[in-house]
Amino acid sequence: MSDVKKIAVIAGDGIGPEVVAEAEKVLKKTEELFGYQFETDHGLFGGIAIDEKGTPLPQETLEMCRNSDAVLLGAVGGPKWDNNSKELRPETGLLGIRKELGLFSNIRPAVVFDCLKEASTLKPEVLDGTDLIVVRELTGGIYFGEKFRRETEFGEEAVDTCAYNVMEVERIVRQAFEIARTRSKKLASVDKANVLESSRLWRETVNRLATEYPDVELEHVLVDNCAMQLLRRPSSFDVIVTENMFGDILSDEAAMLTGSIGMLSSASLGEGSFGLYEPVHGSAPDIAGQGKANPIATILSVALMFKLSFGYQKAGDLIEKAVKDVLDAGHRTGDISSDQTSALSTSEMGDLIIAAMK
């Protein structure tokens, strides 16, 4: 196979370098098994880039990403930079890279492994059959709207503007319909149309597009009700599509259904096959450098990369099966282990998954 895929690797901060190292081992294993060829370049991003380059998103890192077929990102941020000005915060780099690379869609699968039901705070019978995807709009809404402060007779007032146009809604909703077609053909569109004008435009647009997808069952769910139903009947959802802030909150809630946020992968996509892949979890500075981090979310992000950006379905399935086999055999990192004395290190878990890839 002569098709070389260029991957921009950004380890980032905290546990990022540790989990990304295990994901890179998986890349090498798939090269051996399938004959793939990967060319990896490494760049600085987030807090470490602020320290070394004076900005969370250096221009050379951005260019590296633009010249790649996909980006693998570890995690960014930490208390060290919490009090920085806005332009010198790692999170500003995240918003910037999404905007600069045209990544308007965030895909977050939440699958409950049978062997990990005890790790969730919900009853096992509530979790039965839970396998959903949250599709979150990523570059619009209140996070990117106009922000300002002004003086009033009652003191300083802060304003954040939530704005969406038809194009922004159409492209994310169309993507969600297409994903739903590949699964159970069920789509839940989440909004707050009983209160917000932006949500009313969202719902009108969804209803118009739904006529193009008569094979997909569409359900409208108000965001507060969705938050409740995710805890009450999570298995009734298949694909959920929603705007930026609602998606940020609901995808983290969905993540905890699985028992650990350290288990979940994500993809940020644009119009073509290019995507940025990262674990849902943060940089966990409290355990950084200790070999305690769970690498599964980052490894599963590689599986997503293979499927969504490269079309390597068989390799993606093999990675997912290897993870399941290792978990079914009872192997655990500390975040999902009931017995901390037997918890595996980051590299031990990575090595077991690689050994199971055959």
Side-chain angles (χ1 to χ4, degrees):
M1 184 179 295
S2 60
D3 184 20
V4 179
K5 298 295 185 185
K6 297 181 70 172
I7 303 173
V9 180
I10 303 173
D13 308 317
I15 61 172
E18 298 167 69
V19 294
V20 165
E22 301 311 307
E24 289 196 86
K25 290 182 190 176
V26 171
L27 288 175
K28 288 184 173 61
K29 182 67 173 180
T30 58
E31 284 182 319
E32 295 171 16
L33 291 173
F34 296 94
Y36 300 148
Q37 289 183 274
F38 301 116
E39 181 183 310
T40 55
D41 291 316
H42 296 74
L44 297 176
F45 180 66
I48 189 172
I50 294 170
D51 290 348
E52 296 194 18
K53 300 289 185 177
T55 174
L57 178 55
Q59 190 62 34
E60 56 264 39
T61 300
L62 185 58
E63 288 306 314
M64 179 187 74
C65 293
R66 283 179 172 149
N67 292 325
S68 67
D69 297 301
V71 179
L72 178 64
L73 172 64
V76 298
K80 179 179 180 181
W81 305 282
D82 280 351
N83 296 319
N84 285 11
S85 59
K86 178 187 171 185
E87 66 275 8
L88 290 179
R89 292 177 65 93
E91 296 78 11
T92 300
L94 273 178
L95 295 177
I97 200 168
R98 291 167 184 167
K99 200 78 169 178
E100 291 291 334
L101 298 177
L103 305 173
F104 62 83
S105 169
N106 184 243
I107 313 292
R108 286 194 182 185
V111 180
V112 175
F113 291 89
D114 286 341
C115 64
L116 287 180
K117 284 181 181 176
E118 76 279 359
S120 176
T121 54
L122 296 187
K123 296 176 181 177
E125 59 267 27
V126 174
L127 295 168
D128 277 343
T130 298
D131 179 356
L132 61 89
I133 290 180
V134 178
V135 181
R136 167 190 169 194
E137 201 289 322
L138 208 53
T139 56
I142 201 166
Y143 291 176
F144 288 90
E146 185 184 2
K147 307 173 193 311
F148 58 89
R149 295 190 184 193
R150 61 191 173 200
E151 289 297 330
T152 75
E153 60 179 305
F154 303 108
E156 190 177 30
E157 180 178 74
V159 178
D160 294 284
T161 308
C162 181
Y164 271 105
N165 60 50
V166 169
M167 180 276 290
E168 290 172 317
V169 181
E170 277 188 350
R171 65 184 181 181
I172 187 72
V173 172
R174 196 178 293 282
Q175 190 176 78
F177 269 117
E178 294 291 346
I179 292 171
R181 271 185 166 168
T182 68
R183 292 170 54 90
S184 298
K185 295 182 170 59
K186 287 172 56 182
L187 178 63
S189 175
V190 176
D191 59 36
K192 192 63 177 171
N194 58 336
V195 176
L196 300 177
E197 195 61 35
S198 57
S199 280
R200 285 190 272 273
L201 176 68
W202 179 283
R203 186 173 294 204
E204 290 165 12
T205 307
V206 172
N207 283 334
R208 178 167 48 78
L209 289 180
T211 62
E212 300 176 26
Y213 299 89
D215 53 324
V216 177
E217 178 188 341
L218 173 65
E219 174 188 19
H220 293 289
V221 189
L222 294 176
V223 62
D224 42 352
N225 184 37
C226 183
M228 180 175 69
Q229 298 304 332
L230 274 173
L231 299 180
R232 180 173 172 266
R233 51 175 183 95
S235 63
S236 69
F237 292 105
D238 186 57
V239 180
I240 296 171
V241 63
T242 192
E243 59 102 81
N244 204 340
M245 184 169 71
F246 296 163
D248 191 2
I249 296 165
L250 292 175
S251 57
D252 276 1
E253 183 187 8
M256 289 314 299
L257 296 172
T258 68
S260 171
I261 204 166
M263 293 290 299
L264 299 183
S265 58
S266 78
S268 297
L269 306 175
E271 293 285 4
S273 61
F274 179 86
L276 182 151
Y277 298 84
E278 62 182 314
V280 170
H281 63 69
S283 61
D286 56 317
I287 60 168
Q290 299 175 37
K292 294 180 178 179
N294 186 344
I296 288 178
T298 314
I299 290 171
L300 289 176
S301 294
V302 171
L304 263 188
M305 178 192 297
F306 283 0
K307 292 182 176 185
L308 298 179
S309 283
F310 300 160
Y312 295 166
Q313 187 74 33
K314 189 175 179 182
D317 287 343
L318 180 64
I319 294 169
E320 291 171 357
K321 182 180 184 299
V323 169
K324 182 179 184 301
D325 288 347
V326 168
L327 291 173
D328 284 344
H331 302 295
R332 305 282 186 271
T333 46
D335 58 315
I336 52 175
S337 178
S338 55
D339 178 12
Q340 294 300 307
T341 61
S342 63
L344 298 177
S345 71
T346 308
S347 60
E348 287 171 337
M349 177 59 85
D351 289 344
L352 281 174
I353 292 169
I354 289 162
M357 291 172 60
K358 53 192 176 184

